[in-house]
Amino acid sequence: MRIVQNKLIPPKGFIAITLFGIVFARKELNETTKNHEAIHIRQGNEMLWIFFYLWYGIEWLTRLMQYRDKTKAYYNISFEREAYINQLNTQYLIKRMLFSWIKYL
Ligand SMILES: [Zn+2]
């Protein structure tokens, strides 16, 4: 996993963001966050990235209308639910099936 540590991306208040397979981080990442981002890389690769961001945006807006709360909307995006629920499981990506995020819709 390629991690670019810097002070610009992501904006203050966030720890890390994965853009087209590269992880941008404001500080050194712990194993849990690395696993979280690795799950997003797997999701992004199988969605050819463009569809990952499209679906991410559409689902965030849908959840925002549903919950009327930005944070709650974010945590309920299926990509995030899959990543948060499995980030402590270091074996998760070994056994993960393609498009597993669909189970978290
Ligand atoms: Zn995430």
Side-chain angles (χ1 to χ4, degrees):
M1 183 192 307
R2 224 170 114 206
I3 302 172
V4 180
Q5 215 173 304
N6 72 99
K7 290 288 170 206
L8 286 170
I9 313 169
K12 269 201 172 87
F14 297 90
I15 299 168
I17 186 168
T18 296
L19 296 172
F20 304 100
I22 300 163
V23 179
F24 292 86
R26 293 188 75 87
K27 55 176 189 175
E28 201 162 339
L29 299 181
N30 62 33
E31 290 310 308
T32 302
T33 308
K34 279 185 197 169
N35 201 29
H36 182 102
E37 296 307 320
I39 294 168
H40 284 323
I41 290 172
R42 198 66 75 82
Q43 296 163 338
N45 284 338
E46 70 197 4
M47 298 289 283
L48 308 174
W49 289 104
I50 184 72
F51 298 106
F52 173 80
Y53 291 115
L54 266 175
W55 186 269
Y56 195 107
I58 290 166
E59 199 180 348
W60 184 77
L61 284 172
T62 308
R63 301 293 179 199
L64 187 61
M65 287 188 280
Q66 183 181 358
Y67 298 112
R68 306 203 172 270
D69 180 315
K70 280 184 210 169
T71 310
K72 214 170 172 192
Y74 158 77
Y75 280 109
N76 280 285
I77 295 169
S78 49
F79 294 131
E80 294 301 345
R81 281 167 41 82
E82 182 187 15
Y84 280 109
I85 288 167
N86 297 294
Q87 65 185 10
L88 287 169
N89 179 359
T90 51
Q91 305 298 298
Y92 180 66
L93 284 176
I94 297 166
K95 291 182 181 166
R96 180 186 183 270
M97 307 276 273
L98 277 173
F99 301 104
S100 286
W101 58 272
I102 290 169
K103 288 184 267 179
Y104 298 88
L105 269 171

